[in-house]
Amino acid sequence: GINAEYGSIVVTGQWLVCGTKETLEMRALRDPSGECTLLAGGTGRGTDLATVYCLEYTESGGYTRLFSGYSDSIKVWNLDRKIQCQTLDRHQGTVACLSVVRGKLYSGGYDQTVKVWRGSKIG
């Protein structure tokens, strides 16, 4: 590993994804102690790096989507291509929890709101 402090973790069908104070690490589930791929660091408004507070994923339509919660937004990642494909930014504070149910993404934040996200990028 990169000796980071892990704040969140999610396991997909083939990946172990860990959120840190500065980045997302992807590791092959078949060898979690092996080489890791670093996804681009957090991009909170006005900062270069941001803490990843929570993670969730969904698999549908042949794609694996990862959702990562930051201080004021949610990043949507295409794990198959290892790229960020969208930013969801209706929260006014830290996004603390995420859940995907029946094609909808639910997010809860320190702004005392729960948001429901729908759309083709959600899965």
Side-chain angles (χ1 to χ4, degrees):
I2 60 171
N3 297 324
E5 293 180 16
Y6 297 109
S8 53
I9 189 169
V10 70
V11 178
T12 74
Q14 60 181 324
W15 298 105
L16 169 65
V17 183
C18 303
T20 74
K21 288 186 176 181
E22 299 178 353
T23 191
L24 287 169
E25 291 182 18
M26 282 180 60
R27 298 175 183 274
L29 195 54
R30 67 184 181 282
D31 184 16
S33 63
E35 184 177 330
C36 73
T37 299
L38 297 179
L39 297 178
T43 53
R45 289 187 199 124
T47 62
D48 292 327
L49 300 172
T51 299
V52 180
Y53 290 96
C54 53
L55 294 168
E56 178 64 295
Y57 84 100
T58 186
E59 295 175 334
S60 67
Y63 295 101
T64 303
R65 299 276 187 242
L66 174 74
F67 306 97
S68 54
Y70 293 90
S71 59
D72 59 1
S73 65
I74 300 164
K75 305 298 181 190
V76 183
W77 303 83
N78 178 325
L79 281 190
D80 305 297
R81 296 180 57 202
K82 299 178 182 74
I83 61 168
Q84 181 186 326
C85 54
Q86 189 175 12
T87 300
L88 308 173
D89 59 1
R90 287 191 350 219
H91 279 283
Q92 300 299 313
T94 298
V95 179
C97 52
L98 299 166
S99 183
V100 175
V101 178
R102 295 185 188 106
K104 297 176 188 170
L105 173 66
Y106 296 83
S107 61
Y110 288 1
D111 59 0
Q112 300 177 348
T113 66
V114 173
K115 308 287 187 194
V116 181
W117 309 86
R118 300 170 184 88
S120 61
K121 301 270 192 217
I122 304 304

